[in-house]
Amino acid sequence: TSEDLVVALSSGGGSALLPSPAPGLTLADEIAVNEALLASGAPIAAMNTIRKHVSTIKGGRLAAAAHPARVVSLVVSDIPGDNPALVASGPTVPDTGSRQDALASIAAYGMKLPASVMAHIQSPDADAPRPGDPRFAGNEVHLTASAGVSLEAAAAEAKRQGIETVILSDAIEGEAREVGGVHAAIAREVATRNRPFKKPVLILSGGETTVTLRAKGKGGRNSEFLLAFAIGIDGVECIHALAADTDGIDGSENNAGAFADGSTVARMRAAGVDAKAMLAGNNAWTAFNAVGDLFVPGPTGTNVNDLRAILVR
């Protein structure tokens, strides 16, 4: 009733953990969609726009079902830019993307989805509630944690220990290996030319990179980022880095990410591992496991996206 209050807690991971297939679709269809999304290399915003259009819950539909009750959403964001409509595919926030947007992303990233899913997304039945829908009047959305908050906390702790800190961005996206290469170039520039930042310095960044699967190796986006980073700083002794998913699980294995420094690639070589071949095969976990540099804290119970920390001394 209009006298009721619904408090909704949303966080990253909700898209996968809260399935409710649209009429005519099955759980197997949603699983197939999720597998295709994870292998596509699409950014999280595009992925969640697609997810919204195959569900009876996502895209604001949960809050619409609660109407006329007032819905207050407390959101822990794992989305670059912190758009609450994209966190957990926005079960309580009206949809800002259309099914045309979903279809465009499917085409752009060459996704192969079940015929039943494609037929549904092409139908008006897939349309989700839009901003301005009167069923959302009076509802509230509050952001309680985000990548930016985590980076600021890390920076504060580093400064407390006397380490100058720079936050590049909390919303970096792109192919993990390419983003890793860019971060490596920045770190090398600091190490060798003392620019654009003076060392010693801790360089922090967040966001969510993607991995386009080219092979069936073991790993995740942070491990792949860091393997490309390690290749880029090979031989530079004063650089040390950590890349990890804040939920404690990076990808296909049990690690959150890994550690790397200027000796990582050489140590891999000594262990019989070709770092570039491992990167080409999406096999970063195997590479870091060979030298004992995996970061395995276990599940953290929260998710504010990725955290990358690079110390140049």
Side-chain angles (χ1 to χ4, degrees):
T1 71
S2 59
E3 300 299 316
D4 291 325
L5 171 65
V6 176
V7 178
L9 310 179
S10 298
S11 68
S15 295
L17 295 174
L18 192 66
S20 180
L25 302 182
T26 66
L27 181 58
D29 288 328
E30 280 214 68
I31 292 172
V33 169
N34 194 55
E35 290 175 346
L37 292 175
L38 294 178
S40 69
I44 189 63
M47 292 170 63
N48 285 359
T49 296
I50 295 168
R51 285 166 165 155
K52 291 179 185 185
H53 291 88
V54 296
S55 172
T56 63
I57 292 178
K58 300 176 175 73
R61 293 179 178 89
L62 184 61
H67 180 76
R70 185 166 66 96
V71 179
V72 175
S73 301
L74 306 179
V75 178
V76 175
S77 174
D78 68 331
I79 298 293
D82 297 329
N83 181 352
L86 295 174
V87 178
S89 300
T92 60
V93 183
D95 189 26
T96 54
S98 67
R99 58 189 173 90
Q100 287 75 23
D101 294 329
L103 290 168
S105 292
I106 292 168
Y109 292 94
M111 299 180 200
K112 304 297 183 183
L113 303 184
S116 57
V117 171
M118 292 301 299
H120 178 75
I121 297 177
Q122 290 166 346
S123 165
D125 292 339
D127 289 333
R130 304 291 293 169
D133 189 309
R135 290 174 293 180
F136 296 91
N139 289 357
E140 299 176 19
V141 180
H142 301 277
L143 186 68
T144 59
S146 67
V149 172
S150 71
L151 292 174
E152 289 165 6
E157 176 59 22
K159 289 178 180 178
R160 188 185 69 81
Q161 297 187 32
I163 304 170
E164 288 299 316
T165 306
V166 174
I167 297 176
L168 296 181
S169 171
D170 66 357
I172 293 176
E173 298 181 273
E175 191 71 23
R177 62 183 63 191
E178 295 173 3
V179 176
V182 171
H183 279 63
I186 294 172
R188 287 184 69 101
E189 190 74 8
V190 174
T192 59
R193 293 187 171 89
N194 223 29
R195 66 183 190 192
F197 317 117
K198 292 184 178 181
K199 58 184 180 183
V201 64
L202 178 66
I203 302 169
L204 298 172
S205 74
E208 182 169 303
T209 61
T210 52
V211 173
T212 301
L213 292 178
R214 299 165 174 84
K216 294 184 178 180
K218 296 180 178 180
R221 61 181 183 262
N222 287 285
S223 304
E224 183 144 324
F225 163 94
L226 202 63
L227 185 54
F229 179 88
I231 293 169
I233 63 161
D234 185 22
V236 183
E237 296 182 355
C238 62
I239 301 174
H240 309 267
L242 164 70
D245 194 313
T246 55
D247 69 4
I249 301 296
D250 183 33
S252 65
E253 307 306 311
N254 67 342
N255 63 309
F259 299 96
D261 59 29
S263 71
T264 296
V265 172
R267 289 186 289 113
M268 288 178 178
R269 191 179 304 116
V273 172
D274 183 329
K276 290 184 178 179
M278 291 291 106
L279 182 62
N282 298 123
N283 211 4
W285 182 91
T286 300
F288 284 110
N289 186 54
V291 293
D293 282 349
L294 294 172
F295 176 46
V296 190
T300 63
T302 190
N303 180 10
V304 290
N305 229 314
D306 301 337
L307 187 146
R308 299 175 283 268
I310 303 165
L311 177 63
V312 185
R313 298 193 295 184

